[in-house]
Amino acid sequence: YKPVMAIFEERKNKIAKGDLNVALIQGNVAQDVKWDPYLAQDHLSNYLRLTRLAAKDRVDLSIWPESAYPYSIRLDSLRTEKFLDREKLPTPILFGTVVREFENNQNKASYNSVVYADADAQFRSVYHKMHLVPFGEYIPFKGVLSILPSLTAQVGEFAAGTEPTVFDVNGLRFGSLICFEDVFPESARRMALASADVLVNFTNDAWYLDSSAQYQHLVFSQFRALENRRTLLR
């Protein structure tokens, strides 16, 4: 009884931080062509076209899905280069991409990431996915299982991020949950404790094809919103 009353009082006295118009940009790229290098520019052009269309409705922020940007980005270039070498973007963009870290010009690590580019096309900050998918993004017990090439041939080799990153957009702070990170209560809680006002699930549910898993995945996000009393976008 007491915890319920405490939640009620907290909600009743909550102070609004302001409004932000957000566009969720969905490119609907089929999984079998997603990484086709000959179609990469077409996919990118489609996301930019939809973002420009959304900008006509006075959007403050556009959000692209997990790995929507079809090329990788060097981590060391985030402070020196602009997104797509542009002077301006239609809106600030939070987008999923692969970020690579280099050492002595050799690829040291690859991350499944979300990057924030502001309206001046400057890269502001990056979040690296912390909870990776076993046998999808890394090989557990790699020393043992690597002797079975048929089992591990299609597995990515991503490194896990080590800390939550929240993106400040016009005074509102966005916390990222990439792919199935929204399945785990501790992942969302970590972002809430890092002062995220809004949670965002960046996902690519094309993996699930026509199965019921995409709908089950949505339910997990709903629970994370309820548990943390945060708006969640996905």
Side-chain angles (χ1 to χ4, degrees), residues 157-232:
E157 294 202 29
F158 287 96
T162 57
E163 60 184 22
T165 301
V166 292
F167 304 99
D168 191 305
V169 183
N170 295 350
L172 280 179
R173 296 167 66 85
F174 291 77
S176 305
L177 301 170
I178 299 177
C179 188
F180 83 151
E181 283 190 312
D182 64 334
V183 171
F184 305 98
E186 64 272 18
S187 296
R189 186 62 177 157
R190 188 184 295 120
M191 289 296 173
L193 291 173
S195 73
D197 303 305
V198 180
L199 301 175
V200 185
N201 178 216
F202 298 80
T203 188
N204 171 27
D205 282 359
W207 284 107
Y208 300 135
L209 302 177
D210 295 326
S211 75
S212 63
Q214 57 185 304
Y215 306 105
Q216 295 168 351
H217 191 190
L218 171 61
V219 173
F220 283 113
S221 271
Q222 291 174 306
F223 274 101
R224 301 297 84 83
L226 287 166
E227 291 163 354
N228 293 281
R229 297 191 276 287
R230 298 289 193 279
T231 294
L232 189 148

Side-chain angles (χ1 to χ4, degrees), residues 10 17 19-20 29 68 103 117 141 191 195 200 210 217 222:
E10 179 184 332
K17 297 187 69 172
D19 294 328
L20 201 71
V29 178
E103 187 175 272
F141 311 111
M191 289 296 173
S195 73
V200 185
D210 295 326
H217 191 190
Q222 291 174 306

Side-chain angles (χ1 to χ4, degrees), residues 4-191:
V4 173
M5 289 301 295
I7 292 171
F8 174 77
E9 291 298 322
E10 179 184 332
R11 289 177 64 84
K12 187 173 71 172
N13 297 322
K14 185 173 286 187
I15 299 173
K17 297 187 69 172
D19 294 328
L20 201 71
N21 293 326
V22 177
L24 303 179
I25 308 298
Q26 180 56 54
N28 290 327
V29 178
Q31 192 62 30
D32 59 345
V33 299
K34 180 175 177 62
W35 297 112
D36 187 331
Y38 297 102
L39 296 176
Q41 193 58 45
D42 290 339
H43 298 332
L44 179 58
S45 296
N46 187 41
Y47 276 105
L48 289 170
R49 177 186 63 82
L50 293 171
T51 302
R52 288 192 295 269
L53 187 63
K56 294 180 180 179
D57 289 328
R58 300 181 180 179
V59 165
D60 302 302
L61 173 69
S62 293
I63 296 177
W64 298 3
E66 175 191 15
S67 62
Y69 184 66
Y71 307 104
S72 63
I73 297 177
R74 288 182 61 131
L75 185 61
D76 55 6
S77 72
L78 288 177
R79 294 182 179 86
T80 59
E81 296 182 6
K82 289 192 171 186
F83 184 44
L84 304 177
D85 298 323
R86 290 178 176 238
E87 294 301 317
K88 294 284 185 180
L89 291 172
T91 73
I93 301 174
L94 283 173
F95 63 98
T97 186
V98 174
V99 171
R100 301 190 187 279
E101 184 177 10
F102 284 79
E103 187 175 272
N104 298 324
N105 215 31
Q106 297 292 319
N107 188 29
K108 176 184 176 183
S110 299
Y111 302 93
N112 186 353
S113 305
V114 169
V115 176
Y116 174 40
D118 64 17
D120 292 324
Q122 296 281 359
F123 293 117
R124 290 301 179 188
S125 47
V126 59
Y127 166 68
H128 302 313
K129 185 179 180 183
M130 300 173 68
H131 200 135
L132 301 179
V133 180
F135 297 106
E137 295 174 316
Y138 78 102
I139 304 172
F141 311 111
K142 185 176 179 180
V144 176
L145 295 179
S146 60
I147 64 175
L148 303 172
S150 61
L151 179 65
T152 61
Q154 301 300 318
V155 179
E157 294 202 29
F158 287 96
T162 57
E163 60 184 22
T165 301
V166 292
F167 304 99
D168 191 305
V169 183
N170 295 350
L172 280 179
R173 296 167 66 85
F174 291 77
S176 305
L177 301 170
I178 299 177
C179 188
F180 83 151
E181 283 190 312
D182 64 334
V183 171
F184 305 98
E186 64 272 18
S187 296
R189 186 62 177 157
R190 188 184 295 120
M191 289 296 173

